[in-house]
Amino acid sequence: MGTLEERIAKSETRIFKAVFPSTTNHYDTLFGGTALHLMDEVAFICATRFSRKKVVTISTGQIDFKKAIPAGTLIELVAKVISVGRTSCKIHVDIFMEQMYSELRETVVSGTFSFVAVDENKKPVPVLDDLD
């Protein structure tokens, strides 16, 4: 399985999306709820890849929307494990925005998501077997 640091590095998860009009609000920018949905999804994938257990979202930390994301841009969501407890882990997610036809890239949304590992009865279990 490797060290904790190796597991964290291997579980980093990246997803790219194009921002289409169907995902925008009346200001023609990415709807905040869609951004949160995508962030929770990439955080879930990261937590699952890290633990290889069933995990559920138990909380979110502060989500900072630094800049609006207009239709017609590309976004990359990057999720990384930032802390590990006995039954839980915390994932940091950044959304980077890129212009389609230039090299401009900037961090526009950041936040944290906490997950707990659960068994078939939805009871917490160790997030990593080797941390028992």
Side-chain angles (χ1 to χ4, degrees):
M1 279 197 199
T3 67
L4 181 62
E5 292 78 21
E6 289 170 335
R7 285 184 80 122
I8 289 171
K10 286 181 181 179
S11 66
E12 180 176 301
T13 302
R14 296 171 176 268
I15 295 176
F16 283 89
K17 295 280 188 181
V19 179
F20 292 116
S22 63
T23 62
T24 62
N25 58 26
H26 57 290
Y27 298 114
D28 208 26
T29 59
L30 185 67
F31 179 60
T34 301
L36 291 171
H37 169 89
L38 292 170
M39 292 174 80
D40 189 35
E41 181 179 334
V42 74
F44 166 80
I45 294 168
C46 179
T48 301
R49 292 179 71 214
F50 172 72
S51 68
R52 297 298 176 181
K53 302 264 180 96
K54 293 178 183 176
V55 295
V56 294
T57 307
I58 56 169
S59 69
T60 62
Q62 182 169 328
I63 309 293
D64 295 315
F65 292 85
K66 300 170 184 130
K67 189 170 183 179
I69 304 170
T73 56
L74 302 174
I75 57 172
E76 179 184 16
L77 296 98
V78 180
K80 299 176 185 178
V81 176
I82 57 170
S83 68
V84 181
R86 193 179 83 73
T87 62
S88 65
C89 61
K90 186 179 287 188
I91 311 295
H92 179 83
V93 178
D94 286 315
I95 298 180
F96 297 91
M97 178 179 64
E98 296 182 11
Q99 301 300 319
M100 282 195 188
Y101 308 111
S102 78
E103 296 295 318
L104 179 64
R105 175 182 167 92
E106 58 188 314
T107 308
V108 292
V109 184
S110 297
T112 58
F113 295 77
S114 295
F115 291 83
V116 67
V118 295
D119 63 16
E120 59 279 348
N121 298 312
K122 310 241 184 326
K123 300 293 182 205
V125 296
V127 72
L128 295 176
D129 292 327
D130 49 0
L131 292 183
D132 277 335

